[in-house]
Amino acid sequence: MQFLKWVLLFLCFCDVLLAMSVAETTTTTVAPVCAEEDRASLLSIKARIVQDTTDILASWTGMDCCNGDWEGVACGATGRVTSLELQRPVKNSEMFMKGTLSPALGNLHFLEVIVISGMKHISGSIPESITALPHLTQLVLEDNALGGTIPSSLGHLSSLQILSLSGNHLTGQIPPTIGNLNNLLQLNLARNSLSGPIPLTFKTFSSLQYFDLSSNKLSGAIPDHVGQFKNLTYIDLSNNQISGPIPISIFSLSKLLDLLLSNNKLTGTIPVQIEGLKSITTLSLSGNQLGGQIPASISKLQNLWNLNLSRNGLSDPLPTLLSSNIPSLLTIDLSYNNFIFETVPAWIRNKQLSEVHLAGCGLKGALPTFRKPDSITSIDFSDNHFIDRTSSFLTNMSSLQKLKLSNNQLKFNLAELKLPNVLSSLDLHSNQISGSLSNILNSKTSGFLEEIDVSKNQITGIIPELNSGLGLKVLNIGSNKITGHIPSSISNLGELLKLDISRNQIQGTIPMSIGSMVKLQWLDISINSLTGKIPNTLLAIGRLRHANFRANRLCGKIPQGRPFNVFPAAAYAHNLCLCGTPLPPCRESQESKKKTNQ
């Protein structure tokens, strides 16, 4: 009896375990299986891509596109594709896809997100079929090679919150129908070739936060209704052909962080209402036709850290309030206006700034002393009238990365120049500087230094031997009094893009080692006393776009291969006896032809 009782208990226990197992099975989430219609559409999209160095599409195999193995594809609970994201890896700029966008995109009826960006060689037009996707909230087709016009039917995507078509080759006008997208939070059509005005229909964008139409060919005025976008934090209309005054309404955007209107044709003055930009951090109005004075109200911008008013027609005097306000200011650019400062304003010298650009501001005398020099990363004092030496000027500028003092009247020896270790760009051209290049190009030269321009000075001596490990990309020593020869060690500058040693007194031959400088795009050795041939090794420089060998004592056959045989004849003129395309044939070639014919 006791035994039977234990048996019954055991059977009951088994029933409980079985019930728990069944319950667990029924509650386990089963991964959705890709709908065959969506799988077929994805394969049609893949078929339009003829080359894929990202290998993303190589993962699109098998019957189930929702199992997580298809890279860039995501599905919802019903097994329908809801997201397609094909993005080039940020760290590898050489990867791309080549092909076109398939109309089959429009057959993925449950898509909410389309992101196809950075593929560089996806061309053709934007498929009209995309406009049949009622659930689409994000359409991002950035940094490809798409052409044609923006389909007006995109205005039917009523759920769209993000529309970005930047970095393509799109032409024509912006369709007014885009104004139907009432839910837009971000609109980015930058870096195309769009023309015409900003549509008046955009006044419906009540929720817009990000607005970028920069680097196009847009014209007309900035619509006054932009001031109605109360949620805007970012406006970039720079690098267009927009004209007229800056609308007063813009200055009521209290949430705006960045206002970028540079390089247009804006006229009038900077309105005093600018103080309404209470949150503004970056204000760039450079490269326009603005006149008058800087309003004193600009000093009330408590959060402003980047101010660029360069290349306008602004005039003296500066507001006195600037000396004690704008507490957050870090970078200032007032270059190329109608300012005649004579000396750097005291409030600039005393403020802790990172960038000070006052080119063409009528500055005279000695280079200034800054109260907090260790914070400065960039200085541009070019096109002024400074005359005094730089030794004390650079003292304690331990963070300086870019120094531009070109086109002044500076007189000093390069031996006096103590360059900061982190300096990447040095531009001293068009002064009266003397000394030897070995003072700035030696074993102690920082690997950070990428650009040196000391052209149009009075530098003497020879080109020093150059060590490997230098990161120079630009070396311009033209129009000096440099002698000697071009050292073979010039090839140690493996990152060099531009080499200009023209208008000096350099002799000897062109080193064959220059042919190993395969990144070189610009080579100018004209107006020297170089002899011998142009080495055929230079044919290995496949990226060369400009070369000038004019006015030397070179002789022999010009390397017969691209690009040397397609450069203009003027690039080889006034030498001793250069010959071959693009110059007349070499004599031995003519004689050999005669012998062959006989």
Side-chain angles (χ1 to χ4, degrees):
M1 193 69 181
Q2 187 72 19
F3 174 78
L4 181 60
K5 184 178 179 180
W6 282 110
V7 170
L8 289 172
L9 286 172
F10 176 77
L11 291 174
C12 290
F13 181 72
C14 289
D15 287 340
V16 171
L17 287 177
L18 180 61
M20 291 175 62
S21 177
V22 170
E24 184 178 7
T25 302
T26 56
T27 57
T28 300
T29 302
V30 179
V33 177
C34 175
E36 179 54 34
E37 179 187 358
D38 288 0
R39 178 179 172 276
S41 297
L42 289 171
L43 291 177
S44 295
I45 293 168
K46 179 180 180 179
R48 287 292 190 103
I49 304 300
V50 297
Q51 188 177 3
D52 176 21
T53 64
T54 69
D55 283 335
I56 291 174
L57 299 182
S59 67
W60 289 17
T61 59
M63 297 301 295
D64 189 359
C65 63
C66 291
N67 61 5
D69 292 338
W70 289 44
E71 189 174 347
V73 177
C75 300
T78 60
R80 304 308 298 261
V81 175
T82 57
S83 177
L84 178 62
E85 300 189 38
L86 308 178
Q87 301 183 71
R88 175 179 56 80
V90 176
K91 295 182 179 180
N92 194 333
S93 60
E94 299 301 317
M95 290 185 175
F96 62 88
M97 288 185 185
K98 184 177 183 180
T100 58
L101 296 180
S102 171
L105 275 167
N107 296 331
L108 296 168
H109 299 296
F110 291 84
L111 268 181
E112 299 173 11
V113 175
I114 297 177
V115 178
I116 301 175
S117 67
M119 293 306 176
K120 297 191 293 188
H121 300 297
I122 293 182
S123 56
S125 59
I126 300 172
E128 292 271 356
S129 61
I130 288 178
T131 61
L133 301 174
H135 306 291
L136 202 63
T137 61
Q138 297 182 38
L139 178 58
V140 179
L141 304 175
E142 297 176 341
D143 298 314
N144 297 298
L146 298 171
T149 58
I150 299 174
S152 60
S153 54
L154 289 184
H156 298 152
L157 297 172
S158 58
S159 299
L160 209 59
Q161 296 178 6
I162 298 176
L163 174 60
S164 180
L165 308 176
S166 65
N168 284 287
H169 307 310
L170 299 170
T171 58
Q173 297 192 11
I174 302 172
T177 53
I178 299 298
N180 297 335
L181 305 176
N182 298 329
N183 295 310
L184 269 190
L185 301 177
Q186 297 183 27
L187 177 61
N188 188 351
L189 306 178
R191 294 179 289 116
N192 281 288
S193 296
L194 300 170
S195 57
I198 300 172
L200 295 176
T201 55
F202 280 14
K203 61 185 178 183
T204 60
F205 293 156
S206 58
S207 302
L208 199 64
Q209 299 172 8
Y210 185 100
F211 188 43
D212 191 349
L213 304 180
S214 62
S215 301
N216 279 287
K217 301 176 182 178
L218 300 175
S219 57
I222 302 174
D224 191 61
H225 60 66
V226 172
Q228 300 174 19
F229 305 160
K230 299 301 181 183
N231 294 311
L232 269 179
T233 61
Y234 184 93
I235 297 178
D236 190 351
L237 303 178
S238 59
N239 300 304
N240 278 290
Q241 299 168 20
I242 296 171
S243 57
I246 304 172
I248 302 297
S249 63
I250 280 186
F251 303 115
S252 66
L253 299 175
S254 58
K255 295 181 181 179
L256 196 63
L257 301 175
D258 300 274
L259 178 59
L260 310 174
L261 303 178
S262 59
N263 299 320
N264 280 288
K265 299 178 180 179
L266 297 172
T267 53
T269 60
I270 301 174
V272 295
Q273 291 88 345
I274 197 168
E275 64 185 88
L277 299 176
K278 299 184 184 303
S279 302
I280 199 78
T281 60
T282 297
L283 176 63
S284 180
L285 306 178
S286 64
N288 282 288
Q289 300 165 25
L290 300 171
Q293 298 175 0
I294 299 174
S297 57
I298 203 170
S299 63
K300 295 183 180 180
L301 303 179
Q302 298 293 299
N303 299 302
L304 185 66
W305 64 267
N306 181 0
L307 177 63
N308 189 346
L309 304 178
S310 64
R311 299 181 186 276
N312 279 287
L314 302 172
S315 56
D316 295 322
L318 289 180
T320 55
L321 289 172
L322 291 179
S323 60
S324 58
N325 288 279
I326 318 185
S328 302
L329 194 65
L330 290 177
T331 72
I332 186 167
D333 192 343
L334 303 177
S335 304
Y336 303 114
N337 280 283
N338 295 327
F339 298 130
I340 305 296
F341 291 154
E342 294 195 0
T343 61
V344 177
W347 67 271
I348 291 180
R349 286 185 277 115
N350 294 333
K351 206 170 187 65
Q352 185 168 342
L353 299 171
S354 63
E355 295 182 13
V356 182
H357 294 178
L358 299 175
C361 284
L363 299 170
K364 299 178 180 179
L367 289 163
T369 300
F370 288 90
R371 183 179 176 186
K372 300 178 180 179
D374 58 332
S375 67
I376 298 176
T377 61
S378 178
I379 288 178
D380 185 355
F381 286 162
S382 56
D383 296 295
N384 281 294
H385 308 286
F386 287 117
I387 58 174
D388 282 15
R389 60 186 61 186
T390 62
S391 54
S392 60
F393 171 65
L394 292 176
T395 302
N396 296 324
M397 286 195 181
S398 56
S399 301
L400 191 64
Q401 298 173 24
K402 295 183 179 181
L403 176 61
K404 191 170 184 179
L405 300 174
S406 60
N407 200 19
N408 279 279
Q409 296 156 28
L410 294 168
K411 296 180 181 180
F412 65 90
N413 192 295
L414 286 176
E416 303 172 31
L417 202 60
K418 306 300 180 185
L419 299 179
N421 291 332
V422 295
L423 194 72
S424 64
S425 179
L426 175 66
D427 187 351
L428 303 175
H429 82 262
S430 302
N431 280 286
Q432 300 172 40
I433 300 168
S434 60
S436 170
L437 283 176
S438 59
N439 291 303
I440 56 174
L441 279 175
N442 51 52
S443 59
K444 297 180 180 179
T445 302
S446 169
F448 288 105
L449 197 56
E450 294 184 348
E451 299 181 13
I452 294 178
D453 188 346
V454 291
S455 60
K456 298 181 182 178
N457 278 289
Q458 299 174 14
I459 296 171
T460 55
I462 64 171
I463 301 174
E465 293 294 327
L466 297 159
N467 301 319
S468 59
L470 291 175
L472 278 178
K473 295 182 178 179
V474 174
L475 178 59
N476 188 350
I477 58 175
S479 299
N480 279 288
K481 300 177 181 179
I482 298 170
T483 56
H485 63 281
I486 305 172
S488 295
S489 59
I490 192 82
S491 61
N492 285 332
L493 303 180
E495 299 297 315
L496 207 64
L497 304 176
K498 179 177 180 178
L499 175 62
D500 190 338
I501 62 173
S502 63
R503 298 179 184 272
N504 279 288
Q505 300 163 24
I506 299 171
Q507 300 178 336
T509 59
I510 302 172
M512 296 179 65
S513 62
I514 290 183
S516 63
M517 302 170 69
V518 293
K519 294 185 178 181
L520 207 60
Q521 298 176 13
W522 178 291
L523 175 63
D524 193 340
I525 60 175
S526 62
I527 315 179
N528 280 287
S529 298
L530 294 164
T531 57
K533 298 178 63 176
I534 300 174
N536 282 323
T537 55
L538 270 61
L539 288 169
I541 311 175
R543 300 182 184 182
L544 202 63
R545 297 293 177 266
H546 171 90
N548 193 349
F549 302 91
R550 182 172 63 93
N552 279 285
R553 298 170 60 193
L554 299 170
C555 192
K557 190 174 184 178
I558 294 169
Q560 292 302 289
R562 296 183 71 91
F564 294 92
N565 58 353
V566 295
F567 284 137
Y572 305 100
H574 306 295
N575 273 286
L576 195 59
C577 52
L578 284 177
C579 57
T581 309
L583 298 181
C586 299
R587 290 184 179 179
E588 59 269 25
S589 299
Q590 293 177 333
E591 292 174 1
S592 61
K593 285 182 180 178
K594 290 180 181 179
K595 292 179 181 179
T596 304
N597 293 333
Q598 292 174 353

